[in-house]
Amino acid sequence: MTDQAGPMDAPPAPTAYTIAGEGDTLEACAARLGVPPEDLFAANRGVIGSDPAAVRFGMRLEAPPVPAPAPAEPAPAEGA
């Protein structure tokens, strides 16, 4: 019998990223967190300020909440 990792076995996505140094950008942090840069900026505007290019060493950026998936549409009734 072999062990196969399924979707439930995937490690959880990180919820925060601390700017480590030169070259860390909002876009790079967003990619590491798996979120759009615009959402990461909006969620951290109080930390970053008004300029998304102003991320600095030591800033801790929190990932925005991930919206719950939309419920599945019900199947059409038979004979309708």
Side-chain angles (χ1 to χ4, degrees), residues 13-36:
T15 59
Y17 181 80
T18 301
I19 303 301
E22 196 73 31
D24 262 351
T25 64
L26 184 71
E27 290 78 12
C29 296
R32 287 184 188 100
L33 294 170
V35 298

Side-chain angles (χ1 to χ4, degrees), residues 6-78:
M8 298 301 287
D9 298 328
T15 59
Y17 181 80
T18 301
I19 303 301
E22 196 73 31
D24 262 351
T25 64
L26 184 71
E27 290 78 12
C29 296
R32 287 184 188 100
L33 294 170
V35 298
E38 301 81 21
D39 293 353
L40 184 61
F41 177 62
N44 291 279
R45 193 171 180 129
V47 175
I48 299 169
S50 61
D51 181 3
V55 295
R56 296 182 314 275
F57 176 77
M59 281 184 173
R60 180 176 170 85
L61 304 182
E62 299 288 332
V66 177
E73 300 239 351
E78 286 187 35

